[in-house]
């Protein structure tokens, strides 16, 4: 598969969901991107191992017909860091996302920052884990309309207990242009950690007054950031909707 020019505007966007979620978590952003004329694909991660999530993302990337922006929320930041060297990917967008270096122990890195409240709400059963209803509604989906938050809770994807033990073999953010959306009211990932990750990758960065699910509470701001990435633009988000 041939690569693409890094200066060629992307016409495709692949969205990768994080843990405790599925592809429907992008449903507020997708129509905004489609309205801008982009082809959008939402990956459905198995959430079993890093390798299997990366494989699912690569299958979606293989189906694209040209330059593509790869977007990851939360855990999917690990996935896109590993899959992001795909030859069609022109830029990476991280939304309140992990961004480990190659082989990095992300759990040890995160331990240097405040422990987010959502961690206390994990419920384990038969080798998988989910967030309790209270942790999901109050911490993971804080600020989301209650009816919508309960719908997202019902669609919550269980994760394998050892999912987060997977380590990347590469860090695509070292080689591709990066964009990062920090959630300043995040109770699932420490905002201080998100700021560190964004700075480490020298990302074009916005900060939204949001819980972990910024693509639900602030879809316009996230869509604007993705659109910047498709154009290869840098600097402040032009609409100021962050």
């Amino acid at each position: 598969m041939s690569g693409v020019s890094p200066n060629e505007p992307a016409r495709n966007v692949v969205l990768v969901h994080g843990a405790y979620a599925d592809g429907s978590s992008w449903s507020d952003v997708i129509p905004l991107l489609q309205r801008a004329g982009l082809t959008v694909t939402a990956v459905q991660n198995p959430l079993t191992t890093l390798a299997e999530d990366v494989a699912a993302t690569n299958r979606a990337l293989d189906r694209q017909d040209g330059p593509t922006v790869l977007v990851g929320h939360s855990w999917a930041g690990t996935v896109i860091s590993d899959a992001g060297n795909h030859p069609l990917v022109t830029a990476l967008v991280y939304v309140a996302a992990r961004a480990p270096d190659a082989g990095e122990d992300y759990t040890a890195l995160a331990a240097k920052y405040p422990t987010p409240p959502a961690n206390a709400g994990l419920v384990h059963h038969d080798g998988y884990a989910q967030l309790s209803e209270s942790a999901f509604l109050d911490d993971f989906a804080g600020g989301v309309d209650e009816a919508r938050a309960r719908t997202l809770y019902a669609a919550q994807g269980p994760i394998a207990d050892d999912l987060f033990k997977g380590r990347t073999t590469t860090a695509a953010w070292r080689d591709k242009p990066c964009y990062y959306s920090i959630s300043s009211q995040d109770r699932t990932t420490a905002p201080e950690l998100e700021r560190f990750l964004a700075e480490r990758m020298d990302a074009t960065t916005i900060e939204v007054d949001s819980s972990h699910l910024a693509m639900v509470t602030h879809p316009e701001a996230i869509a604007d950031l993705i659109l910047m990435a498709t154009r290869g633009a840098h600097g402040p988000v032009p609409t100021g909707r962050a």
Side-chain angles (χ1 to χ4, degrees):
M1 180 182 299
S2 62
V4 295
S5 168
N7 298 319
E8 184 179 356
R11 56 181 178 265
N12 308 299
V13 175
V14 171
L15 304 166
V16 190
H17 68 83
Y20 324 121
D22 72 352
S24 68
S25 60
W26 295 106
S27 60
D28 299 275
V29 172
I30 290 171
L32 300 176
L33 300 177
Q34 291 174 331
R35 194 178 305 157
L38 297 167
T39 299
V40 185
T41 302
V43 175
Q44 296 290 356
N45 279 331
L47 300 176
T48 46
T49 66
L50 172 59
E52 290 176 343
D53 284 359
V54 169
T57 298
N58 277 324
R59 285 194 295 272
L61 290 170
D62 287 343
R63 296 196 302 271
Q64 306 308 306
D65 63 355
T68 302
V69 168
L70 182 59
V71 186
H73 171 247
S74 191
W75 154 253
T78 300
V79 179
I80 71 170
S81 293
D82 217 332
N85 283 329
H86 190 285
L88 293 182
V89 174
T90 57
L92 303 168
V93 180
Y94 293 79
V95 180
R98 300 174 176 226
D101 208 344
E104 184 173 41
D105 184 342
Y106 183 86
T107 300
L109 173 64
K112 299 177 182 179
Y113 294 86
T115 301
N119 284 18
L122 272 177
V123 179
H124 299 268
H125 182 72
D126 288 341
Y128 287 84
Q130 289 183 291
L131 289 174
S132 68
E133 184 174 10
S134 61
F136 191 98
L137 299 179
D138 297 337
D139 299 325
F140 188 74
V144 178
D145 172 78
E146 183 178 356
R148 178 72 191 286
R150 290 187 178 280
T151 298
L152 291 167
Y153 172 72
Q156 177 184 181
I159 69 167
D161 279 338
D162 58 357
L163 177 67
F164 295 155
K165 294 180 181 178
R167 297 196 189 187
T168 59
T169 58
T170 186
W173 51 264
R174 290 195 172 275
D175 302 307
K176 301 286 177 83
C178 295
Y179 300 75
Y180 200 108
S181 174
I182 297 164
S183 291
S184 64
Q185 303 302 317
D186 205 322
R187 293 170 59 86
T188 302
T189 299
E192 298 90 340
L193 174 56
E194 295 175 19
R195 294 184 186 106
F196 165 79
L197 296 171
E199 182 177 0
R200 181 170 71 169
M201 67 172 68
D202 194 26
T204 296
T205 302
I206 63 171
E207 186 157 333
V208 294
D209 185 21
S210 173
S211 68
H212 197 54
L213 293 180
M215 66 280 204
V216 179
T217 60
H218 294 71
E220 295 90 354
I222 302 306
D224 287 341
L225 187 65
I226 295 169
L227 289 170
M228 285 183 66
T230 65
R231 298 190 300 267
H234 301 277
V237 177
T239 61
R241 288 183 286 193

